[in-house]
Amino acid sequence: MSSRPPSPSTRSSTSLDHEHAHDDRSLTILYATETGTAQDVADRLARLCRCLHIRARVHNTDVYPPTELINEHLVLFVVSTTGSGREPRGMTPLWQMLLRADLPDDLFEDLAFAVFGLGDSSYEKFCWPGKLLSRRLQQLGANELCARGEGDEQHHLGVEGALGPWAEKLSEVLLQLYPLPEGMTRDMLDDLPPPRVSILDGKPGTQLTRKDPLVTDREYHTATLTCNRRTTATDWYQDVRHFEFRLDETVEYEPGDVAVIHPEAMPLDVESFLACIGFANTADDPVKIEHILEDQSLPDHLPTTTTIREIFTRYVDINAVPRRSFFALLKHFTTDEMERDKLEEFLNGEEGADDLYEYCQRPRRTIREVLEEFRSARIPRDYVFDLFPPLRPRQFSIASSIKRHPRSVQLCIAIVQYRTMLKIPRRGVCTTWLAGLQPGYQLRIGFQKGFITVPNDTTPVLCVGPGTGVAPMRAVIQQRVHDGVSGNTLYFGCRSESRDHHYGDEWRALTESGTLVYRAAFSRDGPEGESRTYVQDLIRADAKRIWELVGEREAWVYISGSANKMPAAVRAALAYAIQSEGGRTEEEAKEYVARMEREGRLVEECWS
């Protein structure tokens, strides 16, 4: 952020949507999400507020102006955790504004807030963005009105294990702030809520032309597919592909940035689903959508006139694994007594939650499969956006440098396909759609800023990118080589040199040219019975050179890939090199790595 947040004296003139900013019963809910869980929680909190007769304004941090926060008086934050403990990209501008050193410590003295974080306790930095946000707001004078909640995916009840109790505590606090007026009672959250939209029949004879809803969004750009090539062996278990898109206009992006792609559901899946829920006969009739409940979100870029088929193709996700809120709403539309009883059991305390986990989450049962079993459900079309989650865009790390490939963007994507514990095949909605596209296909692609920055001088860089984590590393190296900088090192890891060695020919060519030091770990190519070798093992073996890079030459380090055990193992390997070759104690070596991260010399671009 380049501009200073407005001072309290300018609040009224800069208000975003605050004609009732300080009315007796209002608050704002801000959510930061990448997978949609935080959005679902935000919608649920908005329904809770409605039951308490409190008006909630709900905003995604993607579109919320950071400087508007000064105008708020009560905010509920719902913040997910990405990768190894980072905030969602859509929250980064807000977070960067809050971190400014020139902010006064009483900036938010008139702000009350509460934070509900979402994360996975199997990772070291569990709910880290929520923790940091809570601490920073208090440093700037804000008042935390309710102790922070932390939803844990590892809890046997999932996020619900913490959300339910936290929401009840929040209710108590809100009722203290906003006592119910005389004669008014609290509505029940389990009652059937009103639908967030009204879906009306379109005018007879209305002709709809199917067009990409992103055409009018200036954040997206027209791209033509020019290459869709499998990079793994045809007999390999994993299908990884290299995609190239030609852009119709000049677009600027940097190494580490991500491409945003909105997928479509497969036509056969949509057709069978429409038949299952009884919408097939009217699926292509024009309908008009009116947003009734402004405190409940709708899918991005949703047009006001469309068809039911288009809604299930582009805007809601029929292949998602449903959350508890899906079953809580579905019970209202189920007419068969046995089916309704089963849904009630799923919603009945911890025992029911365990049954729901075994039925749904553990086997990764999809919404489509659930509705094929609960066949008595008659879903009113007005409740489509309440019952079904939005079909979210997917983010992919860019695998090319715009300097090397002007007006082009390249991606390295693993096509998601696996079998569940029930031996049912599963396919990723977006990656399956992309895999089926032919050269010449046009789509709209957005671009988002990533976490990586590249030194603008000859400072060495050390890239660690196993698997498809090599994508942003390829962008970094391409740009450095284009700029004539040769101090580049890449550690790559995969299972087999002959089967999933992504861009191996490129790395060999750069090594021969003297612009890259390349080290590769092929974990399944070693002799049977010997321990497997991973990137962290190579880093430990190269401890002397690693210390020369990060200790003596102050190299920048990038770690990219799956946010499971790899990032922590790589950091431990770096600490080992610093300790063994740099003469540090174990604790000093760990602190050295931590300081590198604080200074921006170590960046993780990882995903769950």
Side-chain angles (χ1 to χ4, degrees):
M1 295 294 297
S2 59
S3 61
R4 182 178 177 82
S7 65
S9 63
T10 63
R11 289 183 178 183
S12 61
S13 62
T14 60
S15 180
L16 171 73
D17 180 23
H18 288 221
E19 65 273 18
H20 302 293
H22 296 284
D23 66 23
D24 289 339
R25 311 187 67 80
S26 73
L27 55 79
T28 296
I29 301 174
L30 295 180
Y31 66 89
T33 191
E34 285 198 353
T35 65
T37 304
Q39 182 177 2
D40 184 68
V41 171
D43 283 348
R44 177 169 169 178
L45 293 178
R47 290 195 298 273
L48 172 66
C49 290
R50 199 180 329 120
C51 290
L52 302 178
H53 305 283
I54 297 171
R55 176 177 176 266
R57 299 174 293 275
V58 183
H59 300 290
N60 189 337
T61 55
D62 263 342
V63 297
Y64 182 83
T67 54
E68 187 61 26
L69 189 59
I70 194 69
N71 295 299
E72 306 287 358
H73 68 291
L74 177 52
V75 180
L76 308 180
F77 293 92
V78 185
V79 182
S80 63
T81 308
T82 68
S84 301
R86 294 296 298 260
E87 76 279 358
R89 287 181 178 87
M91 181 184 166
T92 300
L94 173 63
W95 184 234
Q96 289 177 340
M97 185 272 283
L98 291 175
L99 287 179
R100 283 180 43 178
D102 62 342
L103 299 181
D105 57 13
D106 60 350
L107 179 66
F108 294 119
E109 63 181 357
D110 295 327
L111 175 68
F113 74 95
V115 175
F116 189 81
L118 298 162
D120 185 326
S121 60
S122 65
Y123 293 99
E124 181 182 1
K125 295 183 177 180
F126 171 59
C127 287
W128 207 246
K131 289 181 169 74
L132 295 179
L133 176 64
S134 175
R135 183 187 309 164
R136 183 57 177 157
L137 287 172
Q138 291 181 75
Q139 289 172 348
L140 295 173
N143 173 43
E144 189 168 35
L145 58 86
C146 180
R148 185 181 63 253
E150 295 180 344
D152 184 5
E153 292 290 351
Q154 291 297 316
H155 192 284
H156 71 285
L157 300 181
V159 170
E160 183 64 30
L163 178 58
W166 185 82
E168 191 55 42
K169 290 180 182 177
L170 178 67
S171 299
E172 296 173 3
V173 173
L174 291 176
L175 285 175
Q176 291 175 9
L177 287 174
Y178 300 136
L180 290 171
E182 187 175 350
M184 187 176 288
T185 59
R186 174 178 176 174
D187 295 336
M188 297 300 296
L189 192 60
D190 289 338
D191 290 346
L192 177 64
R196 67 187 69 192
V197 303
S198 175
I199 299 182
L200 309 171
D201 292 333
K203 294 181 180 179
T206 300
Q207 295 296 317
L208 289 178
T209 302
R210 192 174 193 270
K211 65 179 182 179
D212 193 328
L214 300 172
V215 167
T216 58
D217 191 330
R218 294 184 179 181
E219 298 297 317
Y220 287 79
H221 309 273
T222 299
T224 303
L225 179 66
T226 59
C227 176
N228 176 355
R229 182 182 78 247
R230 179 167 176 150
T231 64
T232 48
T234 55
D235 62 345
W236 192 238
Y237 78 100
Q238 188 177 44
D239 181 359
V240 177
R241 299 195 173 225
H242 173 77
F243 293 90
E244 296 181 8
F245 298 92
R246 183 181 67 250
L247 300 169
D248 281 7
E249 57 189 316
T250 300
V251 175
E252 296 295 328
Y253 61 80
E254 298 293 334
D257 289 357
V258 298
V260 183
I261 295 178
H262 287 254
E264 295 182 16
M266 303 302 288
L268 288 178
D269 290 348
V270 174
E271 186 64 39
S272 64
F273 184 76
L274 291 171
C276 173
I277 62 175
F279 286 175
N281 292 338
T282 59
D284 298 306
D285 296 342
V287 294
K288 183 178 180 181
I289 301 171
E290 294 183 358
H291 196 178
I292 304 300
L293 296 182
E294 295 292 338
D295 63 357
Q296 299 294 291
S297 59
L298 291 178
D300 293 338
H301 306 98
L302 180 68
T304 55
T305 302
T306 184
T307 66
I308 295 296
R309 183 184 304 278
E310 197 75 354
I311 289 173
F312 283 98
T313 299
R314 287 183 180 268
Y315 300 105
V316 298
D317 193 350
I318 61 176
N319 292 297
V321 176
R323 300 184 175 97
R324 183 183 183 277
S325 56
F326 172 89
F327 294 93
L329 187 57
L330 183 64
K331 72 176 183 180
H332 295 289
F333 308 134
T334 304
T335 57
D336 181 85
E337 186 174 349
M338 290 184 63
E339 291 181 3
R340 189 179 178 90
D341 287 345
K342 187 62 178 176
L343 292 171
E344 292 282 6
E345 289 176 10
F346 285 157
L347 302 168
N348 185 23
E350 292 202 9
E351 183 178 346
D354 290 337
D355 292 342
L356 182 57
Y357 174 81
E358 292 295 328
Y359 170 75
C360 189
Q361 280 76 34
R362 189 160 181 252
R364 308 295 295 169
R365 203 181 301 267
T366 67
I367 286 174
R368 187 156 53 99
E369 291 165 343
V370 170
L371 290 177
E372 286 171 352
E373 296 192 2
F374 289 86
R375 301 192 69 87
S376 76
R378 296 293 179 264
I379 302 165
R381 68 182 187 181
D382 284 355
Y383 281 91
V384 162
F385 298 109
D386 299 278
L387 191 62
F388 302 106
L391 181 56
R392 303 192 63 79
R394 279 18 176 212
Q395 299 170 327
F396 300 102
S397 292
I398 295 172
S400 57
S401 166
I402 198 71
K403 292 184 177 181
R404 172 77 181 275
H405 302 281
R407 297 183 70 165
S408 173
V409 63
Q410 300 179 5
L411 307 174
C412 178
I413 298 175
I415 308 306
V416 178
Q417 47 191 352
Y418 62 96
R419 288 186 178 273
T420 69
M421 57 174 288
L422 301 178
K423 307 302 181 184
I424 300 173
R426 286 282 183 268
R427 301 169 300 167
V429 174
C430 189
T431 59
T432 299
W433 176 69
L434 284 171
L437 299 183
Q438 299 299 314
Y441 186 89
Q442 285 194 337
L443 70 160
R444 301 279 284 180
I445 296 180
F447 296 89
Q448 281 189 354
K449 186 65 181 170
F451 300 126
I452 289 175
T453 56
V454 180
N456 55 12
D457 54 20
T458 59
T459 300
V461 298
L462 173 60
C463 303
V464 184
T468 55
V470 79
M473 306 297 95
R474 184 173 182 258
V476 169
I477 293 167
Q478 279 190 358
Q479 179 154 309
R480 299 260 297 177
V481 172
H482 178 276
D483 292 342
V485 182
S486 59
N488 310 303
T489 299
L490 172 63
Y491 284 84
F492 173 75
C494 64
R495 294 193 175 192
S496 170
E497 182 176 14
S498 62
R499 293 185 171 184
D500 61 339
H501 189 188
H502 310 320
Y503 306 113
D505 291 340
E506 289 185 25
W507 309 135
R508 282 187 284 267
L510 290 173
T511 299
E512 291 172 3
S513 71
T515 55
L516 178 70
V517 174
Y518 182 53
R519 297 278 280 146
F522 307 112
S523 62
R524 301 299 194 274
D525 283 353
E528 189 173 347
E530 291 191 6
S531 59
R532 294 167 179 169
T533 301
Y534 300 101
V535 288
Q536 59 266 29
D537 300 313
L538 295 184
I539 292 172
R540 285 176 176 267
D542 297 346
K544 181 176 177 58
R545 183 170 185 274
I546 295 299
W547 169 247
E548 291 174 355
L549 287 172
V550 302
E552 298 175 3
R553 301 177 61 191
E554 297 190 330
W556 291 22
V557 179
Y558 308 111
I559 304 171
S560 175
S562 176
N564 45 32
K565 297 179 181 179
M566 183 274 296
V570 169
R571 292 167 68 100
L574 292 172
Y576 169 80
I578 294 165
Q579 179 183 355
S580 61
E581 298 295 331
R584 304 298 204 275
T585 66
E586 182 178 352
E587 287 304 314
E588 287 172 343
K590 290 180 180 178
E591 171 55 27
Y592 193 101
V593 173
R595 187 170 71 252
M596 287 177 61
E597 186 170 23
R598 291 194 299 270
E599 294 172 351
R601 288 178 50 213
L602 188 154
V603 179
E604 292 185 12
E605 180 76 28
C606 299
W607 50 87
S608 303

